[in-house]
């Protein structure tokens, strides 16, 4: 599809959704309140489903738009967001001849001397990039050591090797593609789709036009500062197109987890990374949700669910860099029981002040401290200009206090119910979540779903409470709180858990 035809398709989609909402709102005014609410909920579900189907058809950046909107429970109705939450970034891979052209352009030649082979068939494909398995031409002493078992976080192992090969290939032979046939370490070659940068610029220009129109001509667009929201999305998208940016975040993530038993991350071959191409260690193992994977790794569901939950809180409250797309395909369980995070295209970052604010919010929610909740909202910049802090505090208390009191009496905290009530409150109140938290809610939802599937015998709220008590309330084997003004470190009592 040419650029202008694609722009017309996106504009037509926006016009259809906008027209539907306008007609529905006019009709809803004539309905009594209970019927109006049910009617609009149906409209939100229908239009959310329309956008989800169109996103999959248009692919490219439009899938990212749907995923981004699915995180904005603060500015979009719950029914609309729930439909978009089902949007999966799974599309057919680009044809190998075009991918090979992109590789030849990135490295300046074909075959590429650094690689013994790159398989033509992709092992994974998404809207912006796809992954092919490959082999380096020669291990080199540094790469050989890293590939031999010193993966970050592997039980009993320490990763001392550099994250890039240090020698030129020492043997050559011809593979079917004409590259060197002498295989070194196996690698994952992430290749951005041919022409994706041009497609993204086309889509961003079209979306900027749509956002500007809605911001100028609708009360909703003015209320939520739609252009600021678009700016958040544009910045996130440009970061996701930068292979060097992703390589640096992957290296930082790997360093963060290097001392953690049972948690790992792949090595990064940064010297082989080029614009539009990222080379990392290929992690062998099974998806975390593969049938029988737990038994083959010698793990129980509760053990792995607890490890995942604790690790995610560590990323949020200790590291400040968290994996923003922890779906089962990005969590690999190795035979020795190590849980390895892969694919660092979507990452979130929280500075020291944000980590303190998140810690305060979690502590306050779990202890029913509504002054603390409202203070956390202020620290985290959740409030729009002119927001009434007392109104927000009273509204949250009215929604959440009964649930917490019920939980206290029943000795069970219904986290899913509370999160749903918080989402409702966020949409109704003068609250807008900043860009740095854009994918945090979506990521936590994924972790909750996975932990529940891994350990269905125990409600997730009990698993989450154990982790929060350990890390924030001082009731477990250890307790941590971010140091004021610190650089991501933590004050510890006792020891860090092994997962």
């Amino acid at each position: 599809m040419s650029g202008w035809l694609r722009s017309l398709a996106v504009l037509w989609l926006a016009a259809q959704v906008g027209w539907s909402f306008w007609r529905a709102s006019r009709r809803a005014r004539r309905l009594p309140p209970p019927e109006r609410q049910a009617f609009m909920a149906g409209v939100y579900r229908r239009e959310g489903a329309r956008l989800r189907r169109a996103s999959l058809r248009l692919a490219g950046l439009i899938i990212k738009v749907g995923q981004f909107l699915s995180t904005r429970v603060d500015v979009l109705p719950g029914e609309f967001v729930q439909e978009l939450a089902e949007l999966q970034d799974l599309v057919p891979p680009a044809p190998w001849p075009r991918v090979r052209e992109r590789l030849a352009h990135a490295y300046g030649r074909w075959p590429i001397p650094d690689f013994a082979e790159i398989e033509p068939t992709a092992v994974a494909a998404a809207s912006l990039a796809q992954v092919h398995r490959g082999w380096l031409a020669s291990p080199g002493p540094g790469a050989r050591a890293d590939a031999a078992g010193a993966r970050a976080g592997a039980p009993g192992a320490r990763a001392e090797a550099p994250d890039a090969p240090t020698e030129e290939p020492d043997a050559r032979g011809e593979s079917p593609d004409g590259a060197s046939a002498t295989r070194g370490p196996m690698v994952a070659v992430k290749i951005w789709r041919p022409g994706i940068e041009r497609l993204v610029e086309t889509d961003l220009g079209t979306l900027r036009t749509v956002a500007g129109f809605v911001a100028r001509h609708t009360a909703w667009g003015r209320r939520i500062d739609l252009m600021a929201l678009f700016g958040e999305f544009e910045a996130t998208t440009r970061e996701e197109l930068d292979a060097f940016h992703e390589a640096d975040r992957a290296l930082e993530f790997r360093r963060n987890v290097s001392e953690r038993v049972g948690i790992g991350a792949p090595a990064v071959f940064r010297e082989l990374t080029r614009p539009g191409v990222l080379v990392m260690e290929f992690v062998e193992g099974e998806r975390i949700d593969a049938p029988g994977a737990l038994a083959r790794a010698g793990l129980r569901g509760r053990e792995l669910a607890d490890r995942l939950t604790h690790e995610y809180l560590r990323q949020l409250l200790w590291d400040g860099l968290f994996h923003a797309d922890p779906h089962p395909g990005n969590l690999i369980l190795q035979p020795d029981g190590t849980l390895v995070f892969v694919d660092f295209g979507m990452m979130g970052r929280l500075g020291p002040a944000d980590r303190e604010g998140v810690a305060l919010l979690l502590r306050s929610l779990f202890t029913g401290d509504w002054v603390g909740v409202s203070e956390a909202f202020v620290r985290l910049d959740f409030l729009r200009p002119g927001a009434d802090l007392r109104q927000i505090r009273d509204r949250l208390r009215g929604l959440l206090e009964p649930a917490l009191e019920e939980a206290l009496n029943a000795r069970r905290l219904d986290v899913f119910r509370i999160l749903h009530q918080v989402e409702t409150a966020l949409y109704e109140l003068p609250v807008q979540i900043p860009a740095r938290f854009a994918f945090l809610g979506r990521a936590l939802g994924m972790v909750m779903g996975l932990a529940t599937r891994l350990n269905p015998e125990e409600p997730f709220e009990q698993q989450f409470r154990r982790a929060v008590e350990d890390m924030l309330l001082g009731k477990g084997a250890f307790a941590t709180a971010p140091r004021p003004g610190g650089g991501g470190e933590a004050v510890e009592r006792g020891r860090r858990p092994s997962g």
Side-chain angles (χ1 to χ4, degrees):
M1 184 185 296
S2 66
W4 69 271
L5 281 176
R6 182 176 177 85
S7 294
L8 284 177
V10 174
L11 290 171
W12 176 241
L13 172 62
Q16 286 179 302
V17 174
W19 175 251
S20 179
F21 280 148
W22 182 80
R23 284 196 312 167
S25 63
R26 287 178 61 86
R27 179 180 171 186
R29 292 173 195 163
R30 300 192 294 268
L31 299 174
E35 293 181 31
R36 181 188 311 150
Q37 186 174 1
F39 171 73
M40 289 306 298
V43 172
Y44 294 141
R45 278 192 292 270
R46 184 186 71 227
E47 295 308 311
R50 184 210 296 265
L51 182 55
R52 172 167 47 81
R53 291 191 300 267
S55 297
L56 291 172
R57 186 176 66 252
L58 290 167
L61 188 62
I62 306 305
I63 289 180
K64 297 297 181 184
V65 173
Q67 290 179 327
F68 180 77
L69 294 178
S70 74
T71 70
R72 303 315 305 241
V73 297
D74 53 328
V75 297
L76 291 169
E79 296 83 2
F80 189 79
V81 167
Q82 287 166 14
E83 287 290 338
L84 294 176
E86 300 177 13
L87 188 59
Q88 297 294 315
D89 193 358
L90 300 173
V91 296
W96 172 246
R98 294 196 63 207
V99 172
R100 187 171 59 186
E101 287 177 11
R102 170 133 205 178
L103 286 168
H105 178 75
Y107 291 93
R109 60 181 298 179
W110 187 270
I112 305 167
D114 295 299
F115 294 94
E117 182 182 349
I118 300 175
E119 290 184 340
T121 302
V123 296
S127 57
L128 301 186
Q130 59 196 61
V131 177
H132 291 252
R133 182 164 49 183
W135 288 263
L136 298 185
S138 174
R144 184 182 297 112
D146 196 49
R151 285 190 180 90
R158 291 289 301 277
E160 303 292 348
D163 282 307
T166 57
E167 286 188 350
E168 286 296 315
D170 56 7
R172 304 298 162 98
E174 293 302 306
S175 73
D177 278 322
S180 172
T182 302
R183 289 183 173 184
M186 184 162 49
V187 292
V189 186
K190 182 175 181 178
I191 308 157
W192 274 251
R193 286 177 172 270
I196 190 63
E197 293 87 355
R198 184 173 62 254
L199 181 65
V200 164
E201 290 303 324
T202 297
D203 285 349
L204 284 175
T206 306
L207 293 169
R208 190 179 296 109
T209 300
V210 172
F213 179 86
V214 175
R216 287 191 303 271
H217 298 288
T218 70
W220 176 79
R222 290 187 293 271
R223 179 176 70 87
I224 68 169
D225 193 357
L226 190 57
M227 293 311 295
L229 199 65
F230 173 78
E232 296 173 8
F233 174 73
E234 183 176 19
T236 301
T237 299
R238 294 195 188 285
E239 285 185 355
E240 202 168 346
L241 287 174
D242 187 341
F244 293 102
H245 184 72
E246 181 172 341
D248 290 341
R249 290 184 299 185
L251 284 166
E252 181 181 350
F253 186 93
R254 177 176 162 87
R255 286 194 296 269
N256 289 344
V257 304
S258 63
E259 300 293 332
R260 295 175 190 163
V261 177
I263 299 293
V268 181
F269 296 87
R270 201 182 189 286
E271 291 181 10
L272 293 178
T273 296
R274 299 289 187 273
V277 183
L278 172 63
V279 183
M280 304 180 73
E281 173 190 8
F282 191 95
V283 177
E284 297 189 89
E286 301 180 84
R287 288 167 55 113
I288 193 174
D289 62 345
L294 282 171
R296 286 187 288 274
L299 294 172
R300 293 177 296 113
R302 170 171 172 164
E303 179 184 355
L304 189 56
D306 275 355
R307 187 192 305 175
L308 176 63
T309 305
H310 277 77
E311 169 58 26
Y312 222 78
L313 282 178
R314 282 195 288 264
Q315 291 177 26
L316 294 177
L317 302 179
W318 288 0
D319 305 336
L321 180 72
F322 63 91
H323 198 293
D325 196 23
H327 64 72
N330 286 339
L331 296 168
I332 305 300
L333 191 59
Q334 297 187 299
D336 64 1
T338 302
L339 178 62
V340 182
F341 286 76
V342 300
D343 191 351
F344 304 96
M346 293 175 63
M347 302 291 290
R349 187 179 294 280
L350 301 178
D354 287 337
R355 294 197 292 277
E356 290 178 9
V358 170
L360 175 62
L361 181 60
L362 290 173
R363 274 199 304 266
S364 301
L365 282 172
F366 271 86
T367 58
D369 176 7
W370 305 111
V371 173
V373 170
S374 58
E375 181 185 342
F377 272 39
V378 172
R379 288 194 190 186
L380 297 171
D381 298 325
F382 279 10
L383 306 183
R384 296 195 191 110
D388 185 336
L389 193 59
R390 182 182 297 275
Q391 175 200 11
I392 291 173
R393 184 166 59 238
D394 291 345
R395 176 64 172 150
L396 287 171
R397 176 186 292 161
L399 278 171
L400 302 182
E401 204 163 61
L404 290 170
E405 185 175 348
E406 178 185 330
L408 184 63
N409 295 333
R411 295 184 175 275
R412 177 182 174 190
L413 182 64
D414 192 340
V415 170
F416 288 104
R417 177 184 169 193
I418 288 177
L419 285 176
H420 177 71
Q421 291 171 327
V422 169
E423 289 179 2
T424 302
L426 289 178
Y427 179 63
E428 294 176 353
L429 291 171
V431 170
Q432 183 165 328
I433 299 174
R436 58 190 183 274
F437 300 102
F439 291 103
L440 178 56
R442 176 176 178 267
L444 285 174
M446 288 182 176
V447 171
M448 287 180 191
L450 267 175
T452 302
R453 290 162 64 184
L454 291 168
N455 185 21
E457 293 80 16
E458 182 181 29
F460 174 77
E461 49 265 24
Q462 292 183 17
Q463 303 173 46
F464 193 70
R465 174 174 280 279
R466 276 199 303 274
V468 170
E469 286 177 346
D470 273 352
M471 301 189 76
L472 298 176
L473 302 181
K475 297 181 181 179
F478 75 110
T480 70
R483 288 176 179 159
E489 298 175 338
V491 179
E492 299 182 40
R493 302 188 191 95
R495 60 180 180 83
R496 293 188 182 188
S498 62

mmCIF file of all heavy atoms in Angstrom, residues 82-106:
data_model
loop_
_atom_site.group_PDB
_atom_site.id
_atom_site.type_symbol
_atom_site.label_atom_id
_atom_site.label_comp_id
_atom_site.label_asym_id
_atom_site.label_seq_id
_atom_site.Cartn_x
_atom_site.Cartn_y
_atom_site.Cartn_z
ATOM 1 N N GLN A 82 -10.330 -2.498 27.453
ATOM 2 C CA GLN A 82 -10.327 -3.958 27.569
ATOM 3 C C GLN A 82 -10.281 -4.631 26.203
ATOM 4 O O GLN A 82 -9.625 -5.662 26.026
ATOM 5 C CB GLN A 82 -11.545 -4.425 28.349
ATOM 6 C CG GLN A 82 -11.452 -4.126 29.841
ATOM 7 C CD GLN A 82 -12.784 -4.272 30.556
ATOM 8 O OE1 GLN A 82 -13.734 -4.829 30.014
ATOM 9 N NE2 GLN A 82 -12.854 -3.761 31.776
ATOM 10 N N GLU A 83 -10.987 -4.065 25.227
ATOM 11 C CA GLU A 83 -10.929 -4.633 23.875
ATOM 12 C C GLU A 83 -9.528 -4.515 23.290
ATOM 13 O O GLU A 83 -9.017 -5.444 22.669
ATOM 14 C CB GLU A 83 -11.931 -3.923 22.961
ATOM 15 C CG GLU A 83 -13.378 -4.277 23.228
ATOM 16 C CD GLU A 83 -13.706 -5.708 22.824
ATOM 17 O OE1 GLU A 83 -12.980 -6.281 21.977
ATOM 18 O OE2 GLU A 83 -14.668 -6.262 23.386
ATOM 19 N N LEU A 84 -8.880 -3.372 23.505
ATOM 20 C CA LEU A 84 -7.543 -3.168 22.958
ATOM 21 C C LEU A 84 -6.492 -3.987 23.696
ATOM 22 O O LEU A 84 -5.437 -4.297 23.127
ATOM 23 C CB LEU A 84 -7.174 -1.683 23.026
ATOM 24 C CG LEU A 84 -8.005 -0.751 22.139
ATOM 25 C CD1 LEU A 84 -7.599 0.689 22.374
ATOM 26 C CD2 LEU A 84 -7.837 -1.121 20.678
ATOM 27 N N ALA A 85 -6.768 -4.342 24.959
ATOM 28 C CA ALA A 85 -5.804 -5.124 25.731
ATOM 29 C C ALA A 85 -5.571 -6.494 25.110
ATOM 30 O O ALA A 85 -4.552 -7.137 25.366
ATOM 31 C CB ALA A 85 -6.286 -5.281 27.170
ATOM 32 N N GLU A 86 -6.512 -6.965 24.273
ATOM 33 C CA GLU A 86 -6.362 -8.263 23.623
ATOM 34 C C GLU A 86 -5.498 -8.189 22.356
ATOM 35 O O GLU A 86 -5.240 -9.209 21.721
ATOM 36 C CB GLU A 86 -7.743 -8.817 23.245
ATOM 37 C CG GLU A 86 -8.674 -9.011 24.433
ATOM 38 C CD GLU A 86 -10.050 -9.484 24.004
ATOM 39 O OE1 GLU A 86 -10.198 -9.889 22.828
ATOM 40 O OE2 GLU A 86 -10.969 -9.449 24.826
ATOM 41 N N LEU A 87 -5.058 -6.988 22.004
ATOM 42 C CA LEU A 87 -4.301 -6.809 20.768
ATOM 43 C C LEU A 87 -2.916 -7.425 20.896
ATOM 44 O O LEU A 87 -2.129 -7.056 21.763
ATOM 45 C CB LEU A 87 -4.183 -5.317 20.454
ATOM 46 C CG LEU A 87 -3.594 -4.906 19.106
ATOM 47 C CD1 LEU A 87 -4.406 -5.477 17.968
ATOM 48 C CD2 LEU A 87 -3.522 -3.389 19.015
ATOM 49 N N GLN A 88 -2.614 -8.380 20.046
ATOM 50 C CA GLN A 88 -1.322 -9.053 20.048
ATOM 51 C C GLN A 88 -0.506 -8.594 18.835
ATOM 52 O O GLN A 88 -1.011 -8.540 17.722
ATOM 53 C CB GLN A 88 -1.502 -10.571 19.994
ATOM 54 C CG GLN A 88 -2.229 -11.141 21.202
ATOM 55 C CD GLN A 88 -1.440 -10.977 22.478
ATOM 56 O OE1 GLN A 88 -0.243 -11.236 22.509
ATOM 57 N NE2 GLN A 88 -2.094 -10.532 23.531
ATOM 58 N N ASP A 89 0.754 -8.284 19.091
ATOM 59 C CA ASP A 89 1.655 -7.794 18.037
ATOM 60 C C ASP A 89 2.275 -8.987 17.309
ATOM 61 O O ASP A 89 3.471 -9.252 17.401
ATOM 62 C CB ASP A 89 2.731 -6.914 18.662
ATOM 63 C CG ASP A 89 3.497 -6.130 17.608
ATOM 64 O OD1 ASP A 89 3.212 -6.312 16.415
ATOM 65 O OD2 ASP A 89 4.379 -5.342 17.988
ATOM 66 N N LEU A 90 1.429 -9.744 16.597
ATOM 67 C CA LEU A 90 1.889 -10.919 15.857
ATOM 68 C C LEU A 90 1.458 -10.776 14.402
ATOM 69 O O LEU A 90 0.273 -10.774 14.094
ATOM 70 C CB LEU A 90 1.294 -12.194 16.460
ATOM 71 C CG LEU A 90 1.657 -12.469 17.932
ATOM 72 C CD1 LEU A 90 0.867 -13.650 18.460
ATOM 73 C CD2 LEU A 90 3.147 -12.723 18.075
ATOM 74 N N VAL A 91 2.419 -10.642 13.513
ATOM 75 C CA VAL A 91 2.124 -10.464 12.096
ATOM 76 C C VAL A 91 3.069 -11.345 11.291
ATOM 77 O O VAL A 91 4.128 -11.768 11.781
ATOM 78 C CB VAL A 91 2.286 -8.986 11.681
ATOM 79 C CG1 VAL A 91 1.291 -8.105 12.398
ATOM 80 C CG2 VAL A 91 3.699 -8.496 11.960
ATOM 81 N N PRO A 92 2.748 -11.658 10.033
ATOM 82 C CA PRO A 92 3.649 -12.476 9.208
ATOM 83 C C PRO A 92 4.986 -11.766 8.996
ATOM 84 O O PRO A 92 5.047 -10.534 8.905
ATOM 85 C CB PRO A 92 2.884 -12.624 7.887
ATOM 86 C CG PRO A 92 1.454 -12.332 8.224
ATOM 87 C CD PRO A 92 1.493 -11.333 9.335
ATOM 88 N N PRO A 93 6.079 -12.519 8.924
ATOM 89 C CA PRO A 93 7.387 -11.892 8.714
ATOM 90 C C PRO A 93 7.521 -11.338 7.308
ATOM 91 O O PRO A 93 6.841 -11.769 6.374
ATOM 92 C CB PRO A 93 8.368 -13.044 8.953
ATOM 93 C CG PRO A 93 7.582 -14.281 8.654
ATOM 94 C CD PRO A 93 6.170 -13.985 9.069
ATOM 95 N N ALA A 94 8.418 -10.375 7.157
ATOM 96 C CA ALA A 94 8.755 -9.858 5.833
ATOM 97 C C ALA A 94 9.496 -10.937 5.053
ATOM 98 O O ALA A 94 10.187 -11.781 5.633
ATOM 99 C CB ALA A 94 9.623 -8.609 5.960
ATOM 100 N N PRO A 95 9.392 -10.953 3.725
ATOM 101 C CA PRO A 95 10.071 -11.990 2.927
ATOM 102 C C PRO A 95 11.589 -11.903 3.057
ATOM 103 O O PRO A 95 12.161 -10.818 3.131
ATOM 104 C CB PRO A 95 9.601 -11.701 1.498
ATOM 105 C CG PRO A 95 9.101 -10.299 1.515
ATOM 106 C CD PRO A 95 8.595 -10.033 2.894
ATOM 107 N N TRP A 96 12.222 -13.069 3.056
ATOM 108 C CA TRP A 96 13.659 -13.135 3.265
ATOM 109 C C TRP A 96 14.477 -12.317 2.263
ATOM 110 O O TRP A 96 15.452 -11.656 2.681
ATOM 111 C CB TRP A 96 14.120 -14.595 3.260
ATOM 112 C CG TRP A 96 15.603 -14.756 3.286
ATOM 113 C CD1 TRP A 96 16.396 -15.270 2.314
ATOM 114 C CD2 TRP A 96 16.489 -14.360 4.348
ATOM 115 N NE1 TRP A 96 17.718 -15.250 2.692
ATOM 116 C CE2 TRP A 96 17.811 -14.691 3.940
ATOM 117 C CE3 TRP A 96 16.305 -13.754 5.593
ATOM 118 C CZ2 TRP A 96 18.918 -14.440 4.734
ATOM 119 C CZ3 TRP A 96 17.418 -13.508 6.389
ATOM 120 C CH2 TRP A 96 18.699 -13.843 5.961
ATOM 121 N N PRO A 97 14.171 -12.294 0.966
ATOM 122 C CA PRO A 97 14.995 -11.486 0.057
ATOM 123 C C PRO A 97 15.081 -10.016 0.475
ATOM 124 O O PRO A 97 16.154 -9.402 0.385
ATOM 125 C CB PRO A 97 14.286 -11.654 -1.298
ATOM 126 C CG PRO A 97 13.627 -12.986 -1.202
ATOM 127 C CD PRO A 97 13.169 -13.088 0.219
ATOM 128 N N ARG A 98 13.975 -9.443 0.943
ATOM 129 C CA ARG A 98 14.014 -8.039 1.372
ATOM 130 C C ARG A 98 14.785 -7.889 2.682
ATOM 131 O O ARG A 98 15.503 -6.898 2.884
ATOM 132 C CB ARG A 98 12.586 -7.508 1.547
ATOM 133 C CG ARG A 98 11.793 -7.436 0.247
ATOM 134 C CD ARG A 98 10.569 -6.568 0.425
ATOM 135 N NE ARG A 98 10.950 -5.201 0.729
ATOM 136 C CZ ARG A 98 10.176 -4.353 1.433
ATOM 137 N NH1 ARG A 98 9.001 -4.760 1.884
ATOM 138 N NH2 ARG A 98 10.570 -3.124 1.665
ATOM 139 N N VAL A 99 14.655 -8.879 3.565
ATOM 140 C CA VAL A 99 15.393 -8.840 4.829
ATOM 141 C C VAL A 99 16.890 -8.953 4.555
ATOM 142 O O VAL A 99 17.711 -8.253 5.156
ATOM 143 C CB VAL A 99 14.918 -9.984 5.753
ATOM 144 C CG1 VAL A 99 15.795 -10.088 6.992
ATOM 145 C CG2 VAL A 99 13.457 -9.758 6.158
ATOM 146 N N ARG A 100 17.258 -9.823 3.624
ATOM 147 C CA ARG A 100 18.671 -9.985 3.282
ATOM 148 C C ARG A 100 19.234 -8.694 2.690
ATOM 149 O O ARG A 100 20.383 -8.319 2.980
ATOM 150 C CB ARG A 100 18.835 -11.140 2.294
ATOM 151 C CG ARG A 100 20.287 -11.478 2.011
ATOM 152 C CD ARG A 100 20.405 -12.753 1.205
ATOM 153 N NE ARG A 100 19.690 -12.653 -0.078
ATOM 154 C CZ ARG A 100 19.551 -13.675 -0.918
ATOM 155 N NH1 ARG A 100 20.038 -14.864 -0.617
ATOM 156 N NH2 ARG A 100 18.903 -13.511 -2.054
ATOM 157 N N GLU A 101 18.446 -7.994 1.896
ATOM 158 C CA GLU A 101 18.891 -6.698 1.363
ATOM 159 C C GLU A 101 19.166 -5.714 2.490
ATOM 160 O O GLU A 101 20.138 -4.953 2.458
ATOM 161 C CB GLU A 101 17.829 -6.130 0.425
ATOM 162 C CG GLU A 101 17.736 -6.828 -0.923
ATOM 163 C CD GLU A 101 16.611 -6.248 -1.765
ATOM 164 O OE1 GLU A 101 16.070 -5.186 -1.377
ATOM 165 O OE2 GLU A 101 16.264 -6.842 -2.806
ATOM 166 N N ARG A 102 18.299 -5.746 3.504
ATOM 167 C CA ARG A 102 18.498 -4.829 4.630
ATOM 168 C C ARG A 102 19.777 -5.176 5.382
ATOM 169 O O ARG A 102 20.537 -4.289 5.791
ATOM 170 C CB ARG A 102 17.298 -4.884 5.570
ATOM 171 C CG ARG A 102 17.509 -4.154 6.891
ATOM 172 C CD ARG A 102 16.359 -3.276 7.263
ATOM 173 N NE ARG A 102 16.776 -2.193 8.138
ATOM 174 C CZ ARG A 102 15.978 -1.254 8.588
ATOM 175 N NH1 ARG A 102 14.722 -1.219 8.206
ATOM 176 N NH2 ARG A 102 16.415 -0.303 9.377
ATOM 177 N N LEU A 103 20.041 -6.465 5.563
ATOM 178 C CA LEU A 103 21.268 -6.886 6.235
ATOM 179 C C LEU A 103 22.498 -6.482 5.423
ATOM 180 O O LEU A 103 23.487 -5.979 5.988
ATOM 181 C CB LEU A 103 21.249 -8.401 6.433
ATOM 182 C CG LEU A 103 20.316 -8.940 7.523
ATOM 183 C CD1 LEU A 103 20.184 -10.457 7.405
ATOM 184 C CD2 LEU A 103 20.833 -8.558 8.897
ATOM 185 N N ALA A 104 22.450 -6.689 4.117
ATOM 186 C CA ALA A 104 23.585 -6.324 3.262
ATOM 187 C C ALA A 104 23.855 -4.827 3.340
ATOM 188 O O ALA A 104 25.020 -4.390 3.379
ATOM 189 C CB ALA A 104 23.312 -6.751 1.821
ATOM 190 N N HIS A 105 22.800 -4.029 3.369
ATOM 191 C CA HIS A 105 22.966 -2.573 3.466
ATOM 192 C C HIS A 105 23.554 -2.186 4.826
ATOM 193 O O HIS A 105 24.427 -1.311 4.915
ATOM 194 C CB HIS A 105 21.622 -1.888 3.250
ATOM 195 C CG HIS A 105 21.682 -0.398 3.379
ATOM 196 N ND1 HIS A 105 22.228 0.408 2.405
ATOM 197 C CD2 HIS A 105 21.285 0.438 4.386
ATOM 198 C CE1 HIS A 105 22.160 1.669 2.789
ATOM 199 N NE2 HIS A 105 21.595 1.717 3.984
ATOM 200 N N ALA A 106 23.080 -2.857 5.903
ATOM 201 C CA ALA A 106 23.539 -2.512 7.252
ATOM 202 C C ALA A 106 25.022 -2.820 7.435
ATOM 203 O O ALA A 106 25.753 -2.053 8.080
ATOM 204 C CB ALA A 106 22.705 -3.260 8.295
#
